[in-house]
Amino acid sequence: MEFNNNMPIYMQVIHDLKKELIRGNLTLGSKLPSARDLAIQYQINPNTANRVYREMELQELCYTKRGLGTFVTEDDQRLMSVREEMAKEYMSVFLIGMRDLGLQEEDVISLIKKEFNKCKGQA
């Protein structure tokens, strides 16, 4: 993973883990790597990896069982909420960009439909 200098590393790792959750690559209730293994996986400082898990616990995305490790939340409603939050973030950035180009709502909707149909044909 290449890190962006405009955002703290721990937040970027959390964002990546959220995407893995939403995609289903991390399943509800599954065991997460140890903080040490997470640090190796993302090539980050172990203290940063610990911070990732602390912040994810605050966001109710994971929980720790003493002596057993850290696990993905089992709350599917929380996962749906995270999915919606992330979708809104992406949508906001996209719409601001379209507005900056001077496009109107109808133009944006037309472009989305056109691109969506193109992508559908490639699947």
Side-chain angles (χ1 to χ4, degrees):
M1 177 173 174
E2 283 196 36
F3 295 106
N4 175 346
N5 290 332
N6 298 326
M7 181 189 291
I9 290 173
Y10 80 96
M11 290 178 67
Q12 293 177 62
V13 173
I14 290 170
H15 189 80
D16 192 57
L17 290 171
K18 284 180 179 179
K19 287 193 300 189
E20 292 299 308
L21 270 167
I22 291 167
R23 289 183 189 131
N25 296 335
L26 292 174
T27 56
L28 296 178
S30 65
K31 189 174 188 315
L32 290 165
S34 68
R36 178 174 293 186
D37 289 342
L38 187 75
I40 292 168
Q41 179 182 340
Y42 282 96
Q43 298 180 340
I44 58 176
N45 184 296
N47 292 329
T48 303
N50 283 320
R51 185 167 185 187
V52 165
Y53 284 157
R54 276 195 316 272
E55 184 63 32
M56 287 180 67
E57 279 193 58
L58 289 173
Q59 295 179 23
E60 300 176 356
L61 295 172
C62 68
Y63 60 94
T64 301
K65 288 185 180 178
R66 192 171 185 176
L68 295 176
T70 304
F71 297 83
V72 175
T73 184
E74 295 175 5
D75 183 354
D76 60 342
Q77 292 302 314
R78 180 66 188 123
L79 180 61
M80 291 300 120
S81 175
V82 167
R83 182 173 154 192
E84 189 174 313
E85 289 167 15
M86 289 186 77
K88 285 179 181 178
E89 285 176 32
Y90 284 121
M91 186 68 72
S92 178
V93 170
F94 170 75
L95 291 174
I96 288 169
M98 294 297 104
R99 194 174 324 129
D100 286 349
L101 291 175
L103 297 174
Q104 299 299 314
E105 180 180 345
E106 302 79 32
D107 300 326
V108 173
I109 291 170
S110 175
L111 282 170
I112 290 172
K113 285 181 180 178
K114 190 164 124 182
E115 288 302 313
F116 186 79
N117 286 331
K118 239 196 279 186
C119 291
K120 212 167 44 171
Q122 295 173 355

